[in-house]
Amino acid sequence: MTVSYTLEVANARFAGFTKLLFRWKGSIYKLLYKEFLLFCFLYSLFSLIYRCVLTDGQQELFERAARHCNKFAKLIPMSFVLGFYVTQAFQRWWGQYTSFPLPDNLMMVVSGNVHGSDERGRLLRRTLMRYANLSSVLILRSISTRVHKRFPTLQHIVDAGFMTEEEMRTLDHLYSDFNKYWMPLTWFANLASKAREEGRVKDDIALRLLMDELNNYRGKCSMLFHYDWISIPLVYTQVVTLAVYSFFAFCLIGRQFVKPERADELKVHVDLYVPVFTLLEFFFYAGWLKVGELIINPFGEDDDDFETNQLIDRNIQVSMLAVDDMHQNLPPLEKDKYWTDKSFSRPFSPAKPIFMGSTYDMRAVDDDEEDSAPSYLTPMLSVSVWPPAPKKQKKSRRLCCCTKPEKPTDPALDPDTIHITPAKPCVPQCVSSEETQHKDHQNRDKSVA
């Protein structure tokens, strides 16, 4: 049975994954404990032989062999070989899950396009979905050990109600050297064409929709068959297995606590008897290999393999419910709660600000503020764009100082001119705002100098 722990990790909290470490079903401990105990036994055996059985000369030879194994065992690219292999195995595992034939889309199309509330219409719809489920049972029986134990023969499929006696005889009489999982889907296609001739399927568009969904369903059944047929190349599986086993075979000797080669190393030498870090390394690498072994074929009987029998029962139940009990069986139409009230209230949800977009509340900058704002960006080279964009004309204001204006002007007609009448007579003079700013900058530079 698939081990699910989604609810326990729904919220991130302190030591959230710690509870998962104490599970046994579906755990790495259950997969690896036999290999782990064997490695500990062999390591202890070599350690006892080195410490208690060998002579001084033999111990010296053993120490040389241990240093040599420890030096060259590191050349095996364990992380690369294992990481790539497990990645490919996981992609294959996920592809097999997404290729599992589910009749949901097909049953919706059958229920909505094969009409007739009489016994003939009901028989057509139920038979169509039974053919589709029969095809999935035949393909799963060919690749899943659980399904094959449940349906060891075609007679068991007949007894379960997926096929009739006459259909079994017809299937047996049709000779083929290959798997016959596709034959019920051919019956489906022929029966759908017959329903079109009878007028149960209203038009060719509805028939085409039925055929399209049927082909999608057949394609998933075919993908499962090819996943079972074409595996990850055997040579790569052998390389990964040999790399892991040979590495830890060398570790049995190379990771022994032997006497140091030089006298100055006695100060830092610690004889722990138990190789803690070597055991952790074995747990991680060998556990990684076990993960690849577990997910390379999810149609077995491991704890985390797919629940194929449960999916078969679910598919036949929901498909018959959709095309028979729920066909044209609608609840009465009633006005909903918000028929007159256009504002949808959310009584069971907390009042939170609604996200309208990251730039929804961004303040727009006026043109005058944008021009007057200092720019700290690095000047970029100009790029000619055709057609040229119209340049923005900056407004300039004139400052006029005079005793008496010659002709009074209406401010509404000339809003850019400011008239100032001084206390003493002066020569009429008009200065633009650009010239005034330029003179101010010159005076400021002189004062700084």
Side-chain angles (χ1 to χ4, degrees), residues 139-160:
I139 188 60
L140 290 174
R141 179 175 173 268
S142 303
I143 66 175
S144 175
T145 56
R146 290 179 177 177
V147 180
H148 189 80
K149 289 182 178 180
R150 180 182 178 183
F151 306 110
T153 62
L154 292 180
Q155 185 60 43
H156 289 82
I157 300 178
V158 173
D159 296 339

Side-chain angles (χ1 to χ4, degrees), residues 173 194 200 295 329 396:
H173 292 162
K194 189 173 182 180
R200 303 285 180 171
I295 65 179
N329 186 11
S396 61

Side-chain angles (χ1 to χ4, degrees), residues 61-182:
L61 292 177
F62 185 87
E63 291 165 3
R64 292 179 182 178
R67 297 188 188 99
H68 184 79
C69 291
N70 188 34
K71 178 180 179 181
F72 290 98
K74 299 176 182 178
L75 299 179
I76 300 176
M78 293 285 293
S79 299
F80 172 75
V81 173
L82 269 175
F84 186 76
Y85 181 79
V86 174
T87 300
Q88 297 300 317
F90 179 79
Q91 293 178 356
R92 174 185 173 86
W93 174 83
W94 184 252
Q96 291 179 85
Y97 173 73
T98 55
S99 299
F100 199 91
L102 297 175
D104 297 57
N105 293 342
L106 188 60
M107 70 186 186
M108 297 299 177
V109 176
V110 170
S111 180
N113 293 278
V114 181
H115 301 279
S117 301
D118 55 348
E119 185 178 356
R120 174 65 178 175
R122 180 187 177 191
L123 180 62
L124 284 174
R125 289 188 299 273
R126 292 181 64 91
T127 305
L128 287 173
M129 293 312 303
R130 186 168 56 81
Y131 287 161
N133 284 276
L134 173 60
S135 179
S136 67
V137 170
L138 292 178
I139 188 60
L140 290 174
R141 179 175 173 268
S142 303
I143 66 175
S144 175
T145 56
R146 290 179 177 177
V147 180
H148 189 80
K149 289 182 178 180
R150 180 182 178 183
F151 306 110
T153 62
L154 292 180
Q155 185 60 43
H156 289 82
I157 300 178
V158 173
D159 296 339
F162 291 93
M163 185 167 50
T164 63
E165 294 284 351
E166 184 63 28
E167 291 168 353
M168 184 183 67
R169 287 191 291 268
T170 303
L171 197 66
D172 287 335
H173 292 162
L174 294 172
Y175 174 76
S176 178
D177 293 330
F178 305 98
N179 198 310
K180 298 180 180 180
Y181 72 91
W182 51 271

